[in-house]
Protein backbone atom coordinates (compact mmCIF):
# COMPACT_ATOMS: atom_id res chain seq x y z
CA UNK A 1 0.00 0.00 0.00
CA UNK A 2 2.70 2.46 1.10
CA UNK A 3 4.68 1.46 -1.95
CA UNK A 4 1.64 2.14 -4.10
CA UNK A 5 1.12 5.60 -2.59
CA UNK A 6 4.78 6.42 -3.00
CA UNK A 7 4.58 5.36 -6.62
CA UNK A 8 1.47 7.44 -7.10
CA UNK A 9 3.08 10.50 -5.49
CA UNK A 10 6.15 9.98 -7.61
CA UNK A 11 4.08 9.59 -10.73
CA UNK A 12 1.98 12.67 -9.93
CA UNK A 13 5.14 14.64 -9.21
CA UNK A 14 6.78 13.51 -12.40
CA UNK A 15 3.67 14.27 -14.38
CA UNK A 16 3.22 17.80 -13.08
CA UNK A 17 6.88 18.51 -13.87
CA UNK A 18 6.42 17.03 -17.30
CA UNK A 19 3.48 19.29 -17.97
CA UNK A 20 5.22 22.50 -16.97
CA UNK A 21 5.62 24.56 -20.11
CA UNK A 22 9.01 26.08 -20.84
CA UNK A 23 9.69 29.26 -18.90
CA UNK A 24 9.01 32.32 -21.10
CA UNK A 25 12.15 33.97 -22.44
CA UNK A 26 12.77 37.74 -22.52
CA UNK A 27 10.19 40.36 -23.50
CA UNK A 28 6.81 38.88 -24.44
CA UNK A 29 4.00 39.98 -26.78
CA UNK A 30 0.78 41.34 -25.28
CA UNK A 31 -2.38 39.55 -26.48
CA UNK A 32 -3.13 42.49 -28.82
CA UNK A 33 0.30 41.98 -30.41
CA UNK A 34 -0.21 38.24 -30.82
CA UNK A 35 -3.42 39.07 -32.73
CA UNK A 36 -1.50 41.64 -34.78
CA UNK A 37 1.10 39.02 -35.79
CA UNK A 38 -1.71 36.83 -37.10
CA UNK A 39 -2.90 39.67 -39.35
CA UNK A 40 0.36 39.50 -41.36
CA UNK A 41 -0.75 41.61 -44.35
CA UNK A 42 -2.97 44.69 -44.21
CA UNK A 43 -3.55 47.94 -46.06
CA UNK A 44 -3.36 51.70 -45.52
CA UNK A 45 -5.79 53.87 -47.48
CA UNK A 46 -4.86 57.46 -48.41
CA UNK A 47 -7.76 59.43 -49.89
CA UNK A 48 -8.24 63.13 -49.05
CA UNK A 49 -8.41 66.45 -50.97
CA UNK A 50 -4.71 65.79 -51.61
CA UNK A 51 -5.78 63.10 -54.13
CA UNK A 52 -7.64 65.78 -56.10
CA UNK A 53 -4.60 68.05 -56.04
CA UNK A 54 -2.36 65.27 -57.35
CA UNK A 55 0.03 65.87 -54.43
CA UNK A 56 1.65 63.72 -51.72
CA UNK A 57 1.42 66.29 -48.94
CA UNK A 58 -1.50 68.73 -48.99
CA UNK A 59 -0.58 72.19 -47.74
CA UNK A 60 -3.81 72.45 -45.77
CA UNK A 61 -5.43 75.09 -47.95
CA UNK A 62 -7.43 72.94 -50.40
CA UNK A 63 -11.05 74.00 -50.77
CA UNK A 64 -13.24 71.27 -49.21
CA UNK A 65 -15.41 71.51 -52.36
CA UNK A 66 -12.55 69.88 -54.21
CA UNK A 67 -13.25 66.65 -52.35
CA UNK A 68 -15.90 65.27 -54.64
CA UNK A 69 -15.39 61.62 -55.60
CA UNK A 70 -17.87 60.69 -58.31
CA UNK A 71 -18.23 57.05 -57.36
CA UNK A 72 -16.79 56.34 -53.93
CA UNK A 73 -17.31 52.71 -52.98
CA UNK A 74 -15.76 51.41 -49.78
CA UNK A 75 -16.74 47.83 -50.62
CA UNK A 76 -14.90 47.94 -53.95
CA UNK A 77 -11.71 48.85 -52.06
CA UNK A 78 -12.24 46.35 -49.26
CA UNK A 79 -13.05 43.49 -51.65
CA UNK A 80 -9.92 44.23 -53.70
CA UNK A 81 -7.90 44.20 -50.49
CA UNK A 82 -9.48 40.94 -49.42
CA UNK A 83 -8.68 39.32 -52.75
CA UNK A 84 -5.08 40.41 -52.15
CA UNK A 85 -5.05 38.43 -48.90
CA UNK A 86 -5.10 41.56 -46.72
CA UNK A 87 -6.63 40.86 -43.33
CA UNK A 88 -6.95 44.42 -42.08
CA UNK A 89 -7.41 48.00 -43.26
CA UNK A 90 -6.11 51.21 -41.74
CA UNK A 91 -7.92 54.28 -42.98
CA UNK A 92 -6.19 57.66 -43.03
CA UNK A 93 -8.92 59.58 -41.22
CA UNK A 94 -6.84 62.77 -41.34
CA UNK A 95 -3.57 63.30 -43.20
CA UNK A 96 -1.06 66.14 -42.84
CA UNK A 97 -3.41 68.49 -44.75
CA UNK A 98 -5.73 68.39 -41.74
CA UNK A 99 -8.93 67.48 -43.61
CA UNK A 100 -11.02 65.17 -41.39
CA UNK A 101 -12.90 62.47 -43.27
CA UNK A 102 -15.52 62.16 -40.58
CA UNK A 103 -17.97 64.81 -39.36
CA UNK A 104 -15.84 65.87 -36.40
CA UNK A 105 -16.70 68.52 -33.82
CA UNK A 106 -13.03 69.45 -33.51
CA UNK A 107 -12.42 71.34 -36.75
CA UNK A 108 -14.42 73.05 -39.47
CA UNK A 109 -12.10 71.55 -42.02
CA UNK A 110 -13.95 68.28 -42.46
CA UNK A 111 -16.04 66.16 -44.78
CA UNK A 112 -19.34 67.88 -43.88
CA UNK A 113 -18.10 70.95 -45.79
CA UNK A 114 -17.55 68.90 -48.95
CA UNK A 115 -20.07 67.88 -51.63
CA UNK A 116 -19.54 64.19 -50.68
CA UNK A 117 -22.99 62.72 -49.82
CA UNK A 118 -24.27 66.33 -49.76
CA UNK A 119 -22.24 67.11 -46.69
CA UNK A 120 -23.82 64.28 -44.72
CA UNK A 121 -21.16 61.65 -45.32
CA UNK A 122 -18.83 59.87 -42.93
CA UNK A 123 -16.11 58.11 -44.88
CA UNK A 124 -14.47 56.59 -41.81
CA UNK A 125 -17.76 54.88 -41.05
CA UNK A 126 -18.26 53.66 -44.62
CA UNK A 127 -14.80 52.08 -44.67
CA UNK A 128 -15.17 50.65 -41.14
CA UNK A 129 -18.54 49.13 -42.03
CA UNK A 130 -17.28 47.60 -45.29
CA UNK A 131 -14.24 46.15 -43.50
CA UNK A 132 -16.44 44.62 -40.83
CA UNK A 133 -18.88 43.24 -43.39
CA UNK A 134 -16.10 41.41 -45.22
CA UNK A 135 -14.19 40.22 -42.17
CA UNK A 136 -11.21 42.60 -42.22
CA UNK A 137 -9.88 44.25 -39.09
CA UNK A 138 -10.07 48.05 -38.97
CA UNK A 139 -7.63 50.72 -37.82
CA UNK A 140 -7.12 54.47 -38.12
CA UNK A 141 -4.30 56.90 -38.88
CA UNK A 142 -4.88 60.41 -37.60
CA UNK A 143 -1.90 62.59 -38.50
CA UNK A 144 -0.58 64.58 -35.55
CA UNK A 145 0.87 67.16 -37.95
CA UNK A 146 -2.00 69.34 -39.16
CA UNK A 147 -1.14 71.92 -41.81
CA UNK A 148 -4.61 73.43 -41.78
CA UNK A 149 -5.14 74.09 -38.12
CA UNK A 150 -4.57 77.67 -36.93
CA UNK A 151 -3.72 76.34 -33.48
CA UNK A 152 -1.02 73.94 -34.65
CA UNK A 153 2.08 74.41 -32.51
CA UNK A 154 0.19 75.70 -29.44
CA UNK A 155 -0.94 73.61 -26.45
CA UNK A 156 -4.55 74.07 -27.61
CA UNK A 157 -3.92 71.98 -30.68
CA UNK A 158 -2.85 69.05 -28.52
CA UNK A 159 -6.32 69.03 -26.97
CA UNK A 160 -7.88 69.21 -30.46
CA UNK A 161 -5.78 66.27 -31.61
CA UNK A 162 -6.69 64.25 -28.54
CA UNK A 163 -10.38 65.01 -29.08
CA UNK A 164 -10.03 63.75 -32.65
CA UNK A 165 -8.53 60.51 -31.43
CA UNK A 166 -11.29 60.25 -28.85
CA UNK A 167 -13.96 60.55 -31.56
CA UNK A 168 -12.22 57.97 -33.73
CA UNK A 169 -11.77 55.63 -30.78
CA UNK A 170 -15.41 55.94 -29.70
CA UNK A 171 -17.51 55.62 -32.83
CA UNK A 172 -16.09 53.00 -35.18
CA UNK A 173 -15.90 49.76 -33.21
CA UNK A 174 -12.79 47.97 -31.98
CA UNK A 175 -9.58 48.97 -33.76
CA UNK A 176 -6.61 46.69 -34.38
CA UNK A 177 -4.23 49.60 -34.95
CA UNK A 178 -3.79 53.24 -34.14
CA UNK A 179 -1.21 54.44 -36.62
CA UNK A 180 1.01 57.51 -36.10
CA UNK A 181 3.55 58.88 -38.52
CA UNK A 182 6.68 60.74 -37.69
CA UNK A 183 6.31 63.74 -40.05
CA UNK A 184 6.15 66.74 -37.77
CA UNK A 185 5.96 70.45 -38.32
CA UNK A 186 7.15 72.57 -41.21
CA UNK A 187 5.35 74.98 -43.44
CA UNK A 188 1.60 74.98 -43.82
CA UNK A 189 -1.56 77.02 -44.23
CA UNK A 190 -2.29 77.14 -40.47
CA UNK A 191 -5.58 79.01 -40.73
CA UNK A 192 -4.16 81.49 -43.23
CA UNK A 193 -0.88 82.28 -41.47
CA UNK A 194 1.01 80.44 -44.21
CA UNK A 195 4.19 80.07 -42.27
CA UNK A 196 6.70 77.59 -41.00
CA UNK A 197 6.03 76.13 -37.58
CA UNK A 198 8.40 73.84 -35.81
CA UNK A 199 7.63 71.88 -32.70
CA UNK A 200 9.81 69.79 -30.42
CA UNK A 201 8.54 66.34 -31.28
CA UNK A 202 10.03 64.85 -28.13
CA UNK A 203 7.77 66.92 -25.88
CA UNK A 204 4.98 68.63 -27.84
CA UNK A 205 2.56 65.71 -28.25
CA UNK A 206 3.11 64.15 -24.80
CA UNK A 207 2.60 60.73 -26.33
CA UNK A 208 2.95 58.99 -23.00
CA UNK A 209 -0.22 60.46 -21.58
CA UNK A 210 -2.15 60.36 -24.89
CA UNK A 211 -1.48 56.67 -25.30
CA UNK A 212 -1.93 55.75 -21.66
CA UNK A 213 -5.04 57.81 -21.05
CA UNK A 214 -6.78 57.53 -24.39
CA UNK A 215 -5.63 54.67 -26.55
CA UNK A 216 -5.21 52.07 -23.85
CA UNK A 217 -8.48 53.01 -22.15
CA UNK A 218 -10.76 53.43 -25.17
CA UNK A 219 -9.13 50.93 -27.54
CA UNK A 220 -7.28 48.24 -25.59
CA UNK A 221 -7.04 46.05 -28.72
CA UNK A 222 -5.38 48.79 -30.82
CA UNK A 223 -1.70 48.29 -31.53
CA UNK A 224 0.05 51.65 -31.38
CA UNK A 225 2.32 52.11 -34.38
CA UNK A 226 5.00 54.76 -34.58
CA UNK A 227 8.68 55.01 -35.46
CA UNK A 228 9.73 53.36 -32.22
CA UNK A 229 6.61 51.59 -30.90
CA UNK A 230 4.83 51.30 -28.50
CA UNK A 231 3.35 48.08 -29.87
CA UNK A 232 4.64 48.00 -33.43
CA UNK A 233 7.72 49.75 -34.78
CA UNK A 234 8.46 51.23 -38.20
CA UNK A 235 10.72 49.05 -40.36
CA UNK A 236 13.00 52.04 -40.88
CA UNK A 237 12.25 52.35 -44.61
CA UNK A 238 9.24 52.55 -46.90
CA UNK A 239 10.48 49.78 -49.22
CA UNK A 240 8.54 46.95 -47.64
CA UNK A 241 11.25 44.89 -45.95
CA UNK A 242 13.25 44.37 -42.78
CA UNK A 243 16.70 42.84 -42.26
CA UNK A 244 17.07 39.14 -42.83
CA UNK A 245 17.93 38.79 -39.15
CA UNK A 246 15.09 40.62 -37.47
CA UNK A 247 14.15 40.50 -33.80
CA UNK A 248 10.67 41.29 -32.54
CA UNK A 249 12.19 42.93 -29.49
CA UNK A 250 13.58 46.43 -29.33
CA UNK A 251 15.21 48.72 -26.83
CA UNK A 252 14.16 52.15 -28.14
CA UNK A 253 17.10 54.51 -28.39
CA UNK A 254 16.54 58.18 -27.49
CA UNK A 255 16.80 60.81 -30.22
CA UNK A 256 20.13 62.59 -30.41
CA UNK A 257 20.58 64.94 -27.49
CA UNK A 258 17.29 63.89 -25.86
CA UNK A 259 16.69 61.56 -23.00
CA UNK A 260 13.43 60.02 -24.19
CA UNK A 261 12.63 57.87 -27.19
CA UNK A 262 9.60 59.25 -29.02
CA UNK A 263 7.94 59.05 -32.43
CA UNK A 264 9.50 61.27 -35.01
CA UNK A 265 12.85 59.72 -34.40
CA UNK A 266 13.12 58.54 -37.98
CA UNK A 267 15.87 56.31 -39.35
CA UNK A 268 16.64 54.75 -36.01
CA UNK A 269 19.47 52.42 -36.82
CA UNK A 270 18.02 49.42 -35.07
CA UNK A 271 14.55 49.56 -36.61
CA UNK A 272 15.11 47.14 -39.52
CA UNK A 273 16.71 44.49 -37.32
CA UNK A 274 15.38 45.15 -33.83
CA UNK A 275 17.45 44.48 -30.71
CA UNK A 276 18.36 40.92 -29.71
CA UNK A 277 17.13 40.58 -26.11
CA UNK A 278 15.55 44.05 -26.38
CA UNK A 279 13.62 45.45 -23.45
CA UNK A 280 10.18 45.35 -25.12
CA UNK A 281 8.28 43.24 -27.66
CA UNK A 282 7.95 45.75 -30.53
CA UNK A 283 7.87 43.90 -33.87
CA UNK A 284 8.28 45.72 -37.18
CA UNK A 285 5.73 46.81 -39.73
CA UNK A 286 6.91 47.22 -43.32
CA UNK A 287 4.81 49.99 -44.83
CA UNK A 288 5.10 50.40 -48.58
CA UNK A 289 2.74 51.93 -51.12
CA UNK A 290 1.28 49.67 -53.80
CA UNK A 291 2.19 52.39 -56.28
CA UNK A 292 5.13 54.75 -55.93
CA UNK A 293 3.26 57.36 -53.89
CA UNK A 294 0.85 57.02 -51.00
CA UNK A 295 -1.73 59.05 -52.95
CA UNK A 296 -3.04 58.24 -56.42
CA UNK A 297 -1.17 59.73 -59.39
CA UNK A 298 -2.29 58.73 -62.87
CA UNK A 299 1.27 58.43 -64.18
CA UNK A 300 2.27 55.72 -61.70
CA UNK A 301 1.72 51.98 -61.93
CA UNK A 302 1.09 49.43 -59.17
CA UNK A 303 3.85 47.03 -58.19
CA UNK A 304 3.75 43.69 -59.95
CA UNK A 305 2.39 40.63 -58.10
CA UNK A 306 5.90 39.11 -58.27
CA UNK A 307 7.40 42.16 -56.54
CA UNK A 308 4.66 41.99 -53.90
CA UNK A 309 5.40 38.32 -53.28
CA UNK A 310 9.08 39.14 -52.83
CA UNK A 311 8.17 41.85 -50.30
CA UNK A 312 5.89 39.36 -48.53
CA UNK A 313 8.85 37.02 -48.05
CA UNK A 314 11.00 39.93 -46.78
CA UNK A 315 8.40 41.21 -44.31
CA UNK A 316 5.98 38.52 -43.11
CA UNK A 317 8.73 35.98 -43.77
CA UNK A 318 11.01 37.82 -41.34
CA UNK A 319 8.59 38.02 -38.44
CA UNK A 320 7.23 41.44 -39.44
CA UNK A 321 3.99 42.56 -41.15
CA UNK A 322 3.38 44.00 -44.59
CA UNK A 323 1.32 47.20 -44.71
CA UNK A 324 0.41 47.99 -48.31
CA UNK A 325 -0.59 51.54 -49.21
CA UNK A 326 -3.82 51.65 -51.26
CA UNK A 327 -4.65 54.81 -53.17
CA UNK A 328 -8.15 55.26 -54.60
CA UNK A 329 -8.31 57.49 -57.68
CA UNK A 330 -10.57 60.53 -58.04
CA UNK A 331 -13.61 58.37 -58.63
CA UNK A 332 -13.16 57.01 -55.12
CA UNK A 333 -12.24 53.46 -56.12
CA UNK A 334 -9.06 51.51 -56.72
CA UNK A 335 -7.87 51.52 -60.32
CA UNK A 336 -8.43 48.28 -62.26
CA UNK A 337 -4.64 47.78 -62.48
CA UNK A 338 -4.37 47.88 -58.67
CA UNK A 339 -7.27 45.47 -58.29
CA UNK A 340 -5.63 43.04 -60.73
CA UNK A 341 -2.23 43.25 -59.07
CA UNK A 342 -3.72 42.65 -55.61
CA UNK A 343 -5.72 39.68 -56.86
CA UNK A 344 -2.71 37.96 -58.48
CA UNK A 345 -0.61 38.57 -55.38
CA UNK A 346 -3.35 37.15 -53.15
CA UNK A 347 -3.73 34.10 -55.37
CA UNK A 348 0.04 33.58 -55.45
CA UNK A 349 0.25 33.53 -51.64
CA UNK A 350 -2.82 31.37 -51.08
CA UNK A 351 -1.88 28.83 -53.76
CA UNK A 352 1.72 28.58 -52.59
CA UNK A 353 0.81 28.03 -48.95
CA UNK A 354 -2.29 25.89 -49.53
CA UNK A 355 -0.49 22.61 -48.77
CA UNK A 356 2.34 21.92 -46.43
CA UNK A 357 4.17 19.17 -48.30
CA UNK A 358 5.42 17.60 -45.06
CA UNK A 359 2.09 17.74 -43.22
CA UNK A 360 1.68 13.97 -43.40
CA UNK A 361 5.28 13.09 -42.63
CA UNK A 362 6.50 11.19 -39.62
CA UNK A 363 8.59 13.18 -37.18
CA UNK A 364 11.24 11.97 -34.76
CA UNK A 365 12.75 14.41 -32.32
CA UNK A 366 15.85 13.85 -30.21
CA UNK A 367 13.98 15.22 -27.22
CA UNK A 368 10.41 16.00 -26.16
CA UNK A 369 9.81 17.94 -22.98
CA UNK A 370 9.24 15.55 -20.05
CA UNK A 371 8.38 12.74 -22.52
CA UNK A 372 5.00 14.47 -22.61
CA UNK A 373 2.91 14.14 -25.76
CA UNK A 374 1.57 17.69 -25.18
CA UNK A 375 4.98 18.84 -26.43
CA UNK A 376 5.37 16.25 -29.19
CA UNK A 377 7.29 17.09 -32.36
CA UNK A 378 4.11 16.17 -34.27
CA UNK A 379 2.82 19.57 -33.18
CA UNK A 380 5.03 21.33 -35.71
CA UNK A 381 3.17 19.66 -38.59
CA UNK A 382 -0.46 19.99 -37.45
CA UNK A 383 -1.03 23.53 -38.83
CA UNK A 384 -2.32 24.62 -35.42
CA UNK A 385 -0.47 27.68 -34.10
CA UNK A 386 -1.43 26.88 -30.51
CA UNK A 387 0.39 23.53 -30.37
CA UNK A 388 4.17 23.37 -30.27
CA UNK A 389 7.13 21.09 -29.89
CA UNK A 390 9.05 21.88 -26.72
CA UNK A 391 12.25 20.40 -25.34
CA UNK A 392 13.63 19.92 -21.85
CA UNK A 393 15.43 22.91 -20.41
CA UNK A 394 18.89 21.53 -21.18
CA UNK A 395 18.07 20.71 -24.82
CA UNK A 396 18.73 24.08 -26.43
CA UNK A 397 19.95 22.81 -29.80
CA UNK A 398 17.66 19.90 -30.64
CA UNK A 399 16.98 18.20 -33.96
CA UNK A 400 13.96 16.63 -35.55
CA UNK A 401 13.91 14.26 -38.51
CA UNK A 402 11.02 14.40 -40.96
CA UNK A 403 10.36 11.23 -42.91
CA UNK A 404 8.07 10.90 -45.93
CA UNK A 405 6.75 7.90 -47.82
CA UNK A 406 7.31 9.63 -51.15
CA UNK A 407 9.81 12.22 -52.38
CA UNK A 408 8.67 15.85 -52.58
CA UNK A 409 9.98 18.93 -54.35
CA UNK A 410 9.82 22.31 -52.65
CA UNK A 411 11.51 25.71 -52.67
CA UNK A 412 10.09 27.47 -49.62
CA UNK A 413 10.81 26.63 -45.98
CA UNK A 414 8.55 28.00 -43.25
CA UNK A 415 9.33 27.98 -39.53
CA UNK A 416 7.37 29.49 -36.63
CA UNK A 417 8.12 29.86 -32.96
CA UNK A 418 5.45 29.79 -30.29
CA UNK A 419 5.96 33.49 -29.57
CA UNK A 420 3.85 33.61 -26.42
CA UNK A 421 7.00 32.16 -24.82
CA UNK A 422 9.22 34.81 -26.39
CA UNK A 423 11.69 34.83 -29.27
CA UNK A 424 14.10 32.06 -28.36
CA UNK A 425 15.91 30.73 -31.44
CA UNK A 426 19.06 32.42 -32.75
CA UNK A 427 20.12 29.90 -35.37
CA UNK A 428 18.65 27.00 -37.35
CA UNK A 429 19.53 24.79 -40.31
CA UNK A 430 17.66 22.42 -42.61
CA UNK A 431 19.22 19.34 -44.21
CA UNK A 432 18.17 16.80 -46.81
CA UNK A 433 19.16 13.11 -46.59
CA UNK A 434 21.14 12.12 -49.66
CA UNK A 435 21.27 8.36 -49.11
CA UNK A 436 24.58 8.20 -47.27
CA UNK A 437 24.76 11.56 -45.57
CA UNK A 438 22.97 14.80 -44.72
CA UNK A 439 23.39 17.82 -46.94
CA UNK A 440 22.62 21.29 -45.61
CA UNK A 441 19.99 23.13 -47.67
CA UNK A 442 19.75 26.30 -45.65
CA UNK A 443 21.15 27.96 -42.57
CA UNK A 444 19.37 30.89 -40.89
CA UNK A 445 19.22 33.05 -37.78
CA UNK A 446 16.12 34.66 -36.19
CA UNK A 447 12.71 32.98 -36.47
CA UNK A 448 10.04 34.57 -34.25
CA UNK A 449 6.45 34.69 -35.50
CA UNK A 450 7.43 33.38 -38.94
CA UNK A 451 10.52 32.78 -41.01
CA UNK A 452 10.12 32.08 -44.72
CA UNK A 453 13.07 31.04 -46.82
CA UNK A 454 12.93 30.98 -50.60
CA UNK A 455 15.59 28.60 -51.93
CA UNK A 456 17.42 29.59 -55.11
CA UNK A 457 16.75 26.15 -56.60
CA UNK A 458 14.02 23.64 -55.71
CA UNK A 459 15.07 20.67 -53.57
CA UNK A 460 13.80 17.11 -53.93
CA UNK A 461 13.99 14.57 -51.12
CA UNK A 462 12.16 12.20 -48.84
CA UNK A 463 13.92 12.64 -45.51
CA UNK A 464 14.83 15.96 -43.93
CA UNK A 465 16.23 17.33 -40.70
CA UNK A 466 15.63 20.56 -38.83
CA UNK A 467 18.46 21.54 -36.53
CA UNK A 468 18.30 24.34 -34.01
CA UNK A 469 21.89 25.49 -33.96
CA UNK A 470 21.73 28.32 -31.43
CA UNK A 471 19.34 29.20 -28.64
CA UNK A 472 19.92 30.48 -25.10
CA UNK A 473 17.06 28.31 -23.79
CA UNK A 474 15.00 25.29 -24.77
CA UNK A 475 12.89 25.71 -27.89
CA UNK A 476 9.14 26.05 -28.51
CA UNK A 477 8.36 25.60 -32.21
CA UNK A 478 4.76 25.78 -33.36
CA UNK A 479 4.99 25.12 -37.11
CA UNK A 480 7.39 23.82 -39.75
CA UNK A 481 6.55 23.52 -43.43
CA UNK A 482 7.87 22.98 -46.96
CA UNK A 483 6.05 24.60 -49.86
CA UNK A 484 6.39 24.92 -53.60
CA UNK A 485 6.17 28.44 -55.00
CA UNK A 486 3.06 28.36 -57.20
CA UNK A 487 4.64 30.72 -59.73
C1 LIG B 1 4.47 59.19 -43.68
C2 LIG B 1 3.72 60.36 -44.26
O1 LIG B 1 4.54 61.53 -44.28
C3 LIG B 1 3.31 59.99 -45.67
O2 LIG B 1 2.62 61.03 -46.30
C4 LIG B 1 2.41 58.73 -45.56
O3 LIG B 1 1.23 59.06 -44.89
C5 LIG B 1 3.16 57.63 -44.85
C6 LIG B 1 2.34 56.39 -44.68
O4 LIG B 1 3.62 58.07 -43.60
O5 LIG B 1 5.00 59.45 -42.45
CA1 LIG C 1 1.34 23.45 -34.27
Amino acid sequence: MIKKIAALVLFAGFNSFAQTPPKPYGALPAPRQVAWHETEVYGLIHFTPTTFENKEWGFGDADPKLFNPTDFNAEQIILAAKAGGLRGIIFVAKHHDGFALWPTKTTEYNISKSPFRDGKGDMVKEVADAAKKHGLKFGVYCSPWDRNNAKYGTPEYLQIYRDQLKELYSNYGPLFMSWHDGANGGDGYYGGAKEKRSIDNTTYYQWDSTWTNLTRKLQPTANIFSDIGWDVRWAGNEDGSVDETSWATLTPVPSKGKNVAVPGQANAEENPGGTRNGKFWIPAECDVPLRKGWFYHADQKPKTPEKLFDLYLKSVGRGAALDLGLAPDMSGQLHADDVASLKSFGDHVSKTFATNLIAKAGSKAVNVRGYNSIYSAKNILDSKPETYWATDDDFTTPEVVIDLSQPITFDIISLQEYIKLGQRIEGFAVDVWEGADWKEIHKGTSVGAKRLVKLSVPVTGQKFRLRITKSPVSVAISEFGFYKDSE
Side-chain angles (χ1 to χ4, degrees):
M1 182 65 176
I2 285 171
K3 248 192 192 163
K4 231 181 184 171
I5 289 171
L8 264 176
V9 167
L10 245 178
F11 181 72
F14 170 75
N15 223 15
S16 68
F17 162 75
Q19 279 177 23
T20 312
K23 213 173 125 225
Y25 178 76
L28 302 176
R32 79 173 77 82
Q33 291 172 307
V34 174
W36 174 86
H37 277 286
E38 287 160 6
T39 318
E40 293 194 337
V41 190
Y42 46 87
L44 179 58
I45 302 174
H46 283 72
F47 186 54
T48 77
T50 307
T51 308
F52 298 79
E53 296 181 295
N54 198 24
K55 287 185 184 171
E56 274 293 301
W57 279 6
F59 191 70
D61 61 346
D63 187 337
K65 296 214 162 46
L66 202 63
F67 190 67
N68 190 15
T70 49
D71 209 5
F72 178 76
N73 185 342
E75 277 195 77
Q76 189 263 2
I77 302 166
I78 294 296
L79 286 171
K82 190 170 181 170
L86 281 63
R87 301 195 183 118
I89 279 290
I90 303 164
F91 189 56
V92 179
K94 185 190 86 170
H95 198 242
H96 306 329
D97 67 327
F99 187 81
L101 291 155
W102 77 104
T104 175
K105 293 195 180 76
T106 62
T107 171
E108 289 283 298
Y109 199 50
N110 72 61
I111 200 158
S112 70
K113 299 287 182 304
S114 81
F116 177 71
R117 311 262 187 261
D118 294 325
K120 294 187 186 68
D122 182 343
M123 208 173 262
V124 178
K125 183 158 185 346
E126 289 192 28
V127 178
D129 287 351
K132 193 172 169 202
K133 179 173 171 190
H134 296 289
L136 273 74
K137 299 179 186 178
F138 184 66
V140 292
Y141 163 14
C142 187
S143 168
W145 184 25
D146 188 323
R147 301 174 92 188
N148 172 266
N149 207 294
K151 303 273 168 56
Y152 186 78
T154 71
E156 283 162 276
Y157 172 75
L158 181 62
Q159 194 49 51
I160 294 170
Y161 180 67
R162 287 181 172 174
D163 289 344
Q164 293 180 342
L165 286 180
K166 208 167 171 179
E167 290 179 356
L168 292 168
Y169 289 168
S170 309
N171 300 318
Y172 303 98
L175 305 175
F176 86 109
M177 288 196 89
S178 183
W179 210 94
H180 307 272
D181 66 277
N184 280 292
D187 60 349
Y189 179 68
Y190 304 127
K194 296 187 189 161
E195 60 189 9
K196 195 167 176 208
R197 291 187 185 172
S198 44
I199 48 105
D200 179 350
N201 66 23
T202 62
T203 53
Y204 180 59
Y205 298 109
Q206 301 175 31
W207 287 118
D208 246 344
S209 60
T210 304
W211 290 342
T212 322
N213 297 328
L214 274 182
T215 314
R216 289 298 190 235
K217 287 209 176 115
L218 297 176
Q219 285 290 342
T221 57
N223 285 277
I224 297 169
F225 168 94
S226 83
D227 298 27
I228 46 85
W230 283 356
D231 298 310
V232 177
R233 72 179 192 263
W234 185 45
N237 63 63
E238 288 184 352
D239 310 333
S241 65
V242 280
D243 287 353
E244 195 168 331
T245 297
S246 181
W247 309 105
T249 55
L250 184 82
T251 303
V253 185
S255 304
K256 231 179 176 179
K258 308 282 177 190
N259 58 6
V260 282
V262 294
Q265 180 202 283
N267 302 319
E269 250 173 47
E270 292 202 32
N271 278 32
T275 320
R276 178 56 178 149
N277 299 318
K279 226 165 143 186
F280 306 103
W281 189 275
I282 312 180
E285 176 204 277
C286 305
D287 63 328
V288 60
L290 180 58
R291 293 176 168 237
K292 190 161 170 281
W294 291 101
F295 284 89
Y296 180 83
H297 308 287
D299 58 348
Q300 298 175 355
K301 287 263 160 236
K303 293 183 173 56
T304 62
E306 295 73 36
K307 173 73 185 168
L308 294 174
F309 190 75
D310 180 55
L311 295 180
Y312 175 84
L313 296 175
K314 290 173 173 157
S315 54
V316 175
R318 293 174 180 176
L322 181 60
D323 181 5
L324 265 183
L326 305 180
D329 62 18
M330 286 197 280
S331 76
Q333 299 191 20
L334 291 182
H335 190 279
D337 291 348
D338 300 38
V339 175
S341 183
L342 284 167
K343 168 96 173 79
S344 309
F345 165 58
D347 287 349
H348 189 171
V349 173
S350 62
K351 274 187 201 144
T352 298
F353 296 100
T355 355
N356 179 1
L357 299 169
I358 53 173
K360 295 201 174 86
S363 55
K364 210 161 173 245
V366 289
N367 174 270
V368 169
R369 192 170 182 81
Y371 299 104
N372 193 321
S373 61
I374 292 179
Y375 304 114
S376 159
K378 282 197 187 85
N379 293 338
I380 65 177
L381 303 175
D382 66 358
S383 68
K384 291 182 193 148
E386 279 307 305
T387 62
Y388 57 92
W389 167 43
T391 51
D392 286 320
D393 289 345
D394 48 349
F395 276 78
T396 61
T397 53
E399 301 175 3
V400 59
V401 172
I402 306 292
D403 226 330
L404 287 146
S405 54
Q406 299 249 330
I408 53 157
T409 300
F410 66 99
D411 55 9
I412 293 177
I413 299 169
S414 175
L415 193 57
Q416 292 176 256
E417 286 190 80
Y418 184 70
I419 56 169
K420 287 180 186 170
L421 295 176
Q423 185 160 15
R424 308 164 79 92
I425 297 171
E426 292 182 4
F428 69 96
V430 176
D431 311 311
V432 60
W433 180 251
E434 289 203 320
D437 221 337
W438 291 106
K439 186 185 158 210
E440 190 175 274
I441 310 169
H442 182 82
K443 179 163 87 201
T445 49
S446 55
V447 179
K450 190 175 268 183
R451 165 71 89 130
L452 296 172
V453 177
K454 174 84 197 270
L455 304 171
S456 49
V457 282
V459 169
T460 301
Q462 199 171 324
K463 193 165 137 184
F464 305 93
R465 184 171 68 172
L466 167 67
R467 278 180 289 132
I468 303 307
T469 55
K470 194 170 177 215
S471 171
V473 284
S474 66
V475 302
I477 299 173
S478 67
E479 284 298 303
F480 182 44
F482 289 170
Y483 300 89
K484 180 72 192 66
D485 190 338
S486 70
E487 262 301 291

